[in-house]
Amino acid sequence: MKVFSNAVTFNYSWDEVSTANWQKYGPWNNKSEHVIAVDTISRTIDPATGILRTERLITCKQSAPEWLKTFMGNADESYVYEASYIDPSSQTLTMVSQNLTWNNFVSVQEEVSYSPLGAHQTQFRQEARITALAGGWQRIKNKIEDCLVTRFHENAVKGREGFERVLEMSRIVFAEEKARQQQKMVA
């Protein structure tokens, strides 16, 4: 098993980040073109805790390296199950995901969290545990896991850039909406 971890500080409030998270794969993010569909399976609020739990199926289109296709086949489309938990009282957003495609060959379990660092900063933490299930072939397992850790690193850089753009656009839209509301109150 190999582990990829990442931490980033966003200069936006937790409210801004947790709201913009729902637009992460939308048109404002030109770095997430590999995500071709996000389908909400369920969404519930726990009446006792206020925690919003959302389950989603994420469809991605990413080609695997040629040598890896030898083992996994040519499928360029893959599916990921994601469960997210927004706890408004502790101001935490936690997302856990698991690959559904090729899960008999490689297991990718990811956990992401957002928590406030102050009024205008949010801490992002990401950890992915990657386990190749290639029988007793340790060299092949290591190569697969290393390849996927490298891909996680590359995608993390793109993901941050894309999410920063989503956050900027969200701030503009919310500022415009707030200005409209204030104009209505004055008029």
Side-chain angles (χ1 to χ4, degrees):
M1 177 179 71
K2 299 277 171 48
V3 176
F4 169 81
S5 60
N6 182 29
V8 173
T9 300
F10 291 105
N11 291 318
Y12 293 86
S13 70
W14 182 83
D15 287 340
E16 291 173 301
V17 169
S18 62
T19 301
N21 178 64
W22 300 112
Q23 302 301 318
K24 180 169 51 177
Y25 300 122
W28 292 338
N29 186 347
N30 62 351
K31 302 290 184 178
S32 68
E33 292 153 345
H34 66 287
V35 176
I36 57 176
V38 179
D39 298 299
T40 301
I41 300 168
S42 73
R43 184 171 279 153
T44 58
I45 296 178
D46 183 318
T49 63
I51 294 174
L52 171 64
R53 181 178 194 273
T54 304
E55 294 178 79
R56 302 191 305 176
L57 177 66
I58 301 170
T59 306
C60 301
K61 187 170 183 109
Q62 273 182 291
S63 62
E66 290 302 317
W67 68 268
L68 198 50
K69 287 181 182 181
T70 304
F71 300 101
M72 297 168 43
N74 277 332
D76 286 341
E77 225 170 75
S78 61
Y79 301 94
V80 175
Y81 167 81
E82 175 192 83
S84 64
Y85 306 87
I86 297 179
D87 185 343
S89 63
S90 67
Q91 290 192 315
T92 56
L93 165 55
T94 304
M95 296 180 294
V96 292
S97 63
Q98 170 74 46
N99 65 305
L100 299 176
T101 306
W102 304 313
N103 62 356
N104 60 337
F105 182 69
V106 64
S107 172
V108 180
Q109 298 174 331
E110 181 182 21
E111 183 169 332
V112 168
S113 67
Y114 296 92
S115 56
L117 278 177
H120 303 289
Q121 287 190 320
T122 301
Q123 180 71 51
F124 165 82
R125 293 188 188 279
Q126 174 185 29
E127 182 175 285
R129 290 172 303 286
I130 300 160
T131 307
L133 308 168
W137 300 352
Q138 192 60 45
R139 221 169 116 185
I140 292 172
K141 287 167 62 170
N142 287 341
K143 188 164 180 157
I144 292 167
E145 291 170 357
D146 290 342
C147 177
L148 292 174
V149 166
T150 299
R151 176 150 305 171
F152 256 90
H153 176 73
E154 292 165 354
N155 286 344
V157 172
K158 288 186 218 173
R160 178 183 180 165
E161 292 169 359
F163 194 50
E164 284 279 359
R165 177 157 163 69
V166 170
L167 287 163
E168 289 169 19
M169 295 303 294
S170 293
R171 186 173 274 174
I172 290 167
V173 168
F174 287 124
E176 289 172 356
E177 181 60 28
K178 187 175 181 179
R180 274 195 290 277
Q181 294 297 327
Q182 288 175 342
Q183 286 176 348
K184 284 182 184 179
M185 292 173 58
V186 171

